[in-house]
Amino acid sequence: MIKFIKVKDYQELSKVAGEIMLHQIKEKPNCVLGLATGSSPVGLYQYLIDAYKKGEVSFKNVKTYNLDEYCDLPREHPESYYSFMHTNLFNHVDIEEENVHLPSSLGKDLQKNCQEYSDALNKVTVDLQLLGIGANGHIGFNEPGTSFESETLVVTLTEKTRKDNARFFDNDINQVPTHAITMGIKNIMNAKSVLLVASGKNKAEAIYQLVNGPVTEEFPASALKKHPGVVTVVADEEACSLLK
Ligand code: GLP
């Protein structure tokens, strides 16, 4: 079931989605969270940091599993998702480093890394999976055409995704990695509940498709329509601008 919440702007999105995540942590302090990167969740993470600083919540027993990571970027690179998560959330709250998990693109045997990440995911139940959405409907880094049965995999990023993400790499597409390692759609669908956030005009087409389009592997986010639990979509006015 998709529960759709339309909000005014990015600020309201961050607050509304932040509250949903905060509620999850308060209700189950040892919950497992699936986390996302990109610009969409940054405000939500700030909301969580503020709540932590006010003493409203603790991350001491929270476990996290991130969706994805670029290949061929050292962890120390400021745009690696490892760095992103530490800069935007982990360094500011009381989470234990041993409870933080990201797919690893280190080493030569990436297939082994994929298997290990899927094995780890299959041993836990993600209580709440946070997602952004790519302009082409990708979730995690599962590009159009990815099987709904996929588990953690290495993917070739589309030109569109690399262009969209070039803003983080001095606007130079050549600096954007060509490959990434990502949870598969099946891993994402195994979460008990999902929270998807979308902001801005660049997402309007994707939100239109999500609401009105068919369930198809050509539009990865459409898998969420078959999710047995609650999928909450929080989208701002610009992201909803193509909806009636
Ligand atoms: C990136 C990430 C996704 C993210 C999406 C949207 O490529 N791999 O997990 O949801 O694209 O990013 P943004 O929120 O910056 O628009």
Side-chain angles (χ1 to χ4, degrees):
M1 183 194 76
I2 294 199
K3 185 179 160 200
F4 201 89
I5 304 177
K6 184 176 167 182
V7 293
K8 189 169 178 296
D9 53 19
Y10 185 73
Q11 201 184 349
E12 197 185 341
L13 175 146
S14 302
K15 182 168 180 283
V16 169
E19 265 310 312
I20 294 172
M21 197 151 256
L22 202 55
H23 179 76
Q24 171 67 70
I25 305 169
K26 284 181 181 170
E27 193 182 69
K28 188 177 174 191
N30 63 345
C31 65
V32 180
L33 300 176
L35 296 182
T37 52
S39 42
S40 309
V42 171
L44 178 166
Y45 290 151
Q46 190 56 51
Y47 189 84
L48 295 181
I49 293 167
D50 291 345
Y52 166 73
K53 289 195 171 149
K54 284 187 221 147
E56 286 176 26
V57 70
S58 167
F59 290 76
K60 204 85 198 147
N61 297 308
V62 171
K63 290 194 174 65
T64 65
Y65 287 83
N66 259 82
L67 282 169
D68 45 17
E69 179 60 285
Y70 286 117
C71 292
D72 302 317
L73 273 195
R75 275 181 156 189
E76 310 68 55
H77 190 289
E79 294 307 332
S80 79
Y81 286 165
Y82 178 89
S83 293
F84 175 99
M85 286 309 303
H86 283 80
T87 307
N88 288 290
L89 180 64
F90 299 151
N91 288 349
H92 310 284
V93 297
D94 62 344
I95 196 159
E96 302 284 350
E97 186 64 29
E98 72 207 40
N99 288 337
V100 162
H101 307 85
L102 283 99
S104 165
S105 61
L106 304 176
K108 289 221 159 61
D109 193 351
L110 293 185
Q111 288 314 321
K112 184 165 159 261
N113 296 3
C114 290
Q115 192 58 53
E116 283 173 0
Y117 204 60
S118 284
D119 289 349
L121 284 169
N122 289 331
K123 282 197 195 109
V124 295
T125 301
V126 172
D127 293 290
L128 178 62
Q129 174 67 56
L130 175 63
L131 295 176
I133 185 168
N136 62 4
H138 76 234
I139 47 176
F141 263 136
N142 293 285
E143 297 284 27
T146 309
S147 163
F148 285 169
E149 289 305 310
S150 58
E151 296 204 48
T152 313
L153 68 163
V154 175
V155 292
T156 305
L157 300 178
T158 60
E159 176 97 6
K160 167 81 180 138
T161 296
R162 292 179 66 230
K163 250 190 208 154
D164 283 349
N165 287 2
R167 67 190 193 278
F168 300 113
F169 293 85
D170 305 328
N171 285 317
D172 176 7
I173 190 173
N174 297 313
Q175 289 184 40
V176 184
T178 53
H179 292 79
I181 178 166
T182 179
M183 272 190 206
I185 310 254
K186 192 171 172 191
N187 303 119
I188 294 171
M189 292 289 281
N190 279 342
K192 256 194 215 162
S193 60
V194 176
L195 171 61
L196 185 147
V197 287
S199 171
K201 277 210 173 72
N202 192 35
K203 302 298 167 71
E205 185 70 36
I207 290 299
Y208 178 86
Q209 275 291 325
L210 180 62
V211 173
N212 297 304
V215 175
T216 164
E217 289 177 350
E218 289 313 310
F219 190 78
S222 66
L224 299 171
K225 293 186 179 200
K226 296 268 185 200
H227 192 282
V230 179
V231 175
T232 307
V233 174
V234 185
D236 67 11
E237 280 177 5
E238 286 191 356
C240 294
S241 57
L242 294 177
L243 299 176
K244 288 233 159 79

